[in-house]
Amino acid sequence: MANIMEFKNNVKRASNPIPYLIGFVNDKKMEDETELNAKDANDLAELWQSLCKELRAEENSVTYVARA
């Protein structure tokens, strides 16, 4: 598992948000997935950080980042 910025090479810079699938392990130690729209890696990291509590995940629980 990793922090989302470790996958920054999977994220392209764009003028409009692009959808990305984020795989992660939740607080029940189960794999889960969410989709976030971001313009670049920093935007994606900020969105992820803001949603971790709601998703019941740690910031460093990311298993993959892929363009949706």
Side-chain angles (χ1 to χ4, degrees), residues 9-59:
N9 291 336
N10 297 10
V11 181
K12 295 188 179 202
R13 173 167 271 166
S15 56
N16 293 317
I18 297 172
Y20 290 95
L21 297 175
I22 312 298
F24 63 96
V25 176
N26 64 26
D27 64 347
K28 295 180 181 177
K29 306 294 185 217
M30 298 179 67
E31 289 194 29
D32 206 344
E33 182 180 75
T34 192
E35 183 175 313
L36 301 176
N37 297 321
K39 292 182 178 183
D40 58 32
N42 290 330
D43 189 26
L44 190 62
E46 287 177 23
L47 287 168
W48 171 249
Q49 184 179 19
S50 72
L51 291 171
C52 281
K53 186 174 181 179
E54 181 180 334
L55 295 171
R56 297 182 176 191
E58 297 292 326
E59 283 187 50

